[in-house]
Amino acid sequence: MELGLVGLGKMGGNMRERIRRAGHTVIGYDRDPDLADVHSLDELVDKLEGPRVVWVMVPAGHATQAVIDELAGLLSPGDIVVDGGNSRWTDDERHAVELGIKGIGFVDCGVSGGVWGLENGYALMYGGSDEHVGKVQPIFDALKPEGDFGAVHAGKVGAGHFAKMVHNGIEYAMMQAYAEGWELLEKVDSVTDVREVFRSWQEGTVIRSWLLDLAVNALDEDEHLDKLRGYAQDSGEGRWTVEAAIGHAVPLPAITASLFARFASRQDDSPQMKMISALRNQFGGHAVEAKK
């Protein structure tokens, strides 16, 4: 299968490589010419044989809208656009209508896996019609982890990004719980090796997880996280999760509190946010702020 891939950053570049390893052809475009296979969206579309599939992997909001607007003028009826960024599900519904008027299909896909996805595979949550999803399925199969799980056709257009949004909200709460436990352990005199306590939890406990493994990795690199400032950014999806909960009258006390804790990190040097920041860097390569 041929795929056009727009956006070759940390995620997109690794996705291109994983898809190629599965035997598919990927033509990639990025504003950075050192990363790109072609030097414009026009050239990318021209090199693909119809019916085309173009996967967009750029930041949510204006950047995604600009790419989709340009593709709408370049693609033909029967082609498909996949938005694999972190777009809001309400944007997906609008994009599907805008492209549908021109006969172009649309699939939204939430992607999780961070910098580890190239080797381990990416968890995929996608939304769209059975027809459109079916045309992209070989690419989903190439990206997903090995085995029976790790990918789901979550429902109609918007369902993929909605599912990924909830996934990220749960991630917020899990990271906050580990961070609070770490800070409390660090505070008491009787616990003399907090890092090894965390390491001991990796086997046989009900709280073992990949996030716990990454926490231990971070503590191995900087045992007391002294090199980090207690500041953690939020990607936006935590906010959207809370807003969706309000709109549907669903109580989310843990996720909401974890979002507010990140806001608190911007007011002082929070020890908990050192752990949140370290975890975000471990699984996603997100930037951290060094202590000044």
Side-chain angles (χ1 to χ4, degrees):
M1 181 172 170
E2 284 188 340
L3 179 75
L5 182 58
V6 182
L8 302 171
K10 285 181 292 190
M11 287 279 282
N14 282 345
M15 289 167 63
R16 173 175 62 176
E17 178 61 22
R18 186 171 175 88
I19 295 167
R20 284 176 173 172
R21 289 180 184 180
H24 303 293
T25 298
V26 182
I27 301 172
Y29 168 70
D30 193 275
R31 289 185 300 176
D32 183 345
D34 293 334
L35 301 176
D37 303 313
V38 294
H39 303 294
S40 69
L41 286 179
D42 196 351
E43 185 182 354
L44 180 145
V45 170
D46 187 58
K47 285 185 175 293
L48 293 170
E49 294 185 9
R52 306 172 186 87
V53 176
V54 179
W55 187 303
V56 180
M57 204 70 189
V58 302
H62 295 302
T64 294
Q65 186 66 58
V67 171
I68 289 178
D69 287 345
E70 188 171 352
L71 287 173
L74 295 171
L75 295 174
S76 304
D79 293 344
I80 295 175
V81 172
V82 182
D83 180 4
N86 283 329
S87 294
R88 194 166 185 165
W89 80 97
T90 50
D91 292 345
D92 296 326
E93 295 167 353
R94 185 178 71 254
H95 293 153
V97 171
E98 293 168 350
L99 293 169
I101 291 171
K102 297 177 176 287
I104 301 167
F106 180 81
V107 174
D108 64 289
C109 183
V111 182
S112 181
V115 296
W116 303 82
L118 174 59
E119 299 302 330
N120 297 341
Y122 298 88
L124 306 173
M125 297 142 270
Y126 34 91
S129 71
D130 289 342
E131 176 189 359
H132 294 154
V133 167
K135 291 179 180 178
V136 188
Q137 194 65 53
I139 302 302
F140 293 146
D141 291 342
L143 287 171
K144 69 178 287 293
E146 294 183 10
D148 296 332
F149 305 107
V152 61
H153 184 181
K156 299 181 289 185
V157 165
H161 281 143
F162 195 94
K164 176 59 164 46
M165 177 193 74
V166 174
H167 165 281
N168 281 23
I170 293 169
E171 175 188 296
Y172 272 49
M174 291 176 66
M175 288 197 291
Q176 184 64 26
Y178 285 128
E180 291 175 8
W182 173 77
E183 182 180 4
L184 182 57
L185 287 166
E186 286 277 348
K187 283 289 185 181
V188 300
D189 293 334
S190 57
V191 179
T192 57
D193 199 334
V194 175
R195 178 176 59 185
E196 293 310 309
V197 171
F198 261 59
R199 197 187 312 279
S200 75
W201 293 343
Q202 290 181 276
E203 298 292 341
T205 72
V206 296
I207 64 166
R208 64 189 185 273
S209 72
W210 187 42
L211 278 176
L212 178 62
D213 296 341
L214 296 177
V216 173
N217 289 352
L219 294 174
D220 281 339
E221 294 172 6
D222 181 6
E223 183 174 358
H224 302 288
L225 303 183
D226 292 326
K227 299 175 184 178
L228 299 180
R229 178 176 168 234
Y231 176 100
Q233 189 59 265
D234 68 282
S235 64
E237 290 186 286
R239 301 185 189 207
W240 300 343
T241 306
V242 172
E243 290 170 5
I246 293 170
H248 291 83
V250 175
L252 299 185
I255 292 173
T256 302
S258 67
L259 174 64
F260 287 177
R262 294 199 186 186
F263 295 164
S265 80
R266 292 156 207 185
Q267 298 170 358
D268 51 34
D269 193 24
S270 166
Q272 293 172 22
M273 290 306 132
K274 291 183 180 184
M275 176 57 79
I276 299 290
S277 180
L279 283 168
R280 293 181 82 243
N281 178 257
Q282 286 286 324
F283 70 72
H286 299 289
V288 298
E289 292 202 11
K291 204 166 192 176
K292 296 179 180 178

